Amino acid sequence: MSSTVRRAGLAVFAATLALAGAVYGVTKSPAANAAVQLTAPQLVADMGAGWNLGNQLEASANGMPSETAWGNPVITQALIDRVKASGFKTIRIPISYLGKIGAAPNYTVDSAWLTRIQEVVNYAYNSGLYVLINMHGDGYKSVTGSWLICDASDQTTIKAKYQKVWQQVATKFASYNDHLIFESMNEEFDGQYGNPTQPCYSNIVAYNQIFVDTVRRTGGTNASRWLLVPGWNTNIEYTTGSYGFSLPTDTYRSSSIPSGEQRLMISVHYYDPWDFTGQEDGNITQWGAAATNPAKKSTWGQEDYMDSTLKKMYDTFVTKGYPFFVGEYGSIDKTSADPANNTYRANFAKALVATAKKYGGASAYWDNGYNGQYGFGLFNRSSNTVTQQGIISAIMTAVGGTSPSTPPVTPSPSKTPGTPSPTPSASSPGGTGACRVVNAVNAWNTGLTNSITITNTGSTAVNGWNLVFTLPAGQTITGGWSATYSPASGTVTATNASYNGSLAPGGSATIGYQATHTGNAGAPTGFKLNGSTCS
């Protein structure tokens, strides 16, 4: 979204907008991870529900990126753990570079900033999530230090700078597997919300081509990973219609990609109708067929409009093998004007996610970290707690996943995420009880992920647990989430994280890991919870 009012916790469009690491028991970098080769439908299904880490790495002050500049705290692993525990499988991380870029001709990106970007990416990537990173605030005229301006006069300099920055970013992440996706830019346009202008749109198309060529030429997994490109202001009408958008050619992609498959996705955003989703007043607070007050409901932009709009993405791109990604959608909190507003916010989110899925697209909710009046927030980033469980549950229902109706216990800020919890004095400290384990293995070429759900089937609570299991021969854990794992192969012990150490009778915890394999992608065997054999 636009950064004009993000300092106050919101990202605002013009009212006339149309269409809008944990310890694993082994030291191993993401470079060791195998590339995932997924078709477009498989990718969309695997990405599941998405969420934006907005107003953080794209935040800036006086032209200098700073993750706390717009009022959010420093990003932590605990926050990402909470997002994952709530059911999200994809995290979009908007990023600005601005004053962190050095002078011509090399345009060297500040190494400390690249390192911090990598740290935040790793919080999600090492947890088995999909991660999308982009070039975000550099293209807004309203941001001090912005330079990726499609109607600026010196396009030769802009394009050279753009190429050099993406070359450095792509090189930094060349060894990461396909759970990392690059997005060329954000809402690139000339600042006016009417029909696209030329040659501005031609420059946007040229930026996308430079992006694809540059990333592919850095090699490694970059030669085959999925890349995301937008049209004019990520606007669906101006991307699908005859206004100037064209897909980049993918000349330098890896020969390992089957000729009939694409590795390009189309980036769009959806905030229609704006008087409901983003306009900061209490006039329009209801949306959809369930609205009870016509005076509080917009005269346009309801379910039928959403369906026909997203169908354009299917007709134009999905039928040709190119999936799409609704990288931002959502609606602001207007409960101060209408206590029932959150119901309609949840209905809007559920409809958008379900409709995108219906037409071959994935989606990511826009969260700017701001809770309260006119905020988009689903989580409190200071306490790592859920603030809008109803909206999260609606998203998970639409995407076909599940979300805990009661959020996991908040990790103690004094503890490092991923370390065992102290044994509480209540219930049965260290009690064993009976247990049941369910595996969900997702394998590819030489890699796999496994999601393990542990259920306490005993009559007493388990407070502080370890789960012992044996990996098939040839499997080695390269990363894990919601537990610590040691050693990385053979008979492994998974120890609870700080927020999931208590299992009430009938209670469950879901943990997981990513692993390499040499041909046997089977599930582990011999599960024991605190010494008790699991069924």
Side-chain angles (χ1 to χ4, degrees), residues 313-322 359:
M313 295 300 295
Y314 175 82
D315 292 339
T316 307
F317 300 112
V318 177
T319 57
K320 299 176 179 65
Y322 299 94
Y359 287 122

Side-chain angles (χ1 to χ4, degrees), residues 487-511:
S489 59
T491 299
V492 178
T493 298
T495 304
N496 66 272
S498 58
Y499 54 82
N500 62 3
S502 180
L503 296 176
S508 299
T510 299
I511 64 175

Side-chain angles (χ1 to χ4, degrees), residues 413-426:
S414 63
K415 288 178 58 57
T416 302
T419 58
S421 299
T423 302
S425 58

Side-chain angles (χ1 to χ4, degrees), residues 12-13 21 30 35 41 91 147 171 178 191 236 239 244 265 312 330 339 346 350 358 371 390 426 444 456 490 509 531:
V12 176
F13 284 170
I91 293 184
W147 54 273
T171 299
D178 281 11
I236 293 176
T239 303
M265 304 175 68
K312 293 178 181 179
K350 182 178 180 181
K358 170 184 174 182
N371 292 281
W444 60 91
N456 176 13

Side-chain angles (χ1 to χ4, degrees), residues 126-206:
N126 288 340
S127 296
L129 299 173
Y130 280 93
V131 186
L132 289 94
I133 60 174
N134 70 2
M135 185 178 290
H136 205 86
D138 299 69
Y140 285 116
K141 294 180 179 179
S142 58
V143 172
T144 301
S146 60
W147 54 273
L148 188 66
I149 308 301
C150 67
D151 60 348
S153 58
D154 190 359
Q155 287 296 315
T156 299
T157 296
I158 288 172
K159 291 171 182 176
K161 187 173 183 177
Y162 182 71
Q163 189 276 331
K164 288 292 187 183
V165 173
W166 264 117
Q167 183 179 50
Q168 293 168 75
V169 175
T171 299
K172 184 79 170 178
F173 292 102
S175 60
Y176 284 55
N177 74 22
D178 281 11
H179 273 70
L180 179 64
I181 297 171
F182 297 152
E183 180 182 26
S184 63
M185 51 197 164
N186 188 47
E187 295 163 349
E188 181 71 24
F189 70 129
D190 66 2
Q192 60 81 32
Y193 289 87
N195 287 345
T197 58
Q198 299 294 339
C200 191
Y201 211 150
S202 295
N203 288 328
I204 291 172
V205 170

Side-chain angles (χ1 to χ4, degrees), residues 48 190 192 225 284 312 469 474 530 532:
D190 66 2
Q192 60 81 32
R225 80 168 69 257
I284 302 300
K312 293 178 181 179
F469 54 85
N530 288 4
S532 291

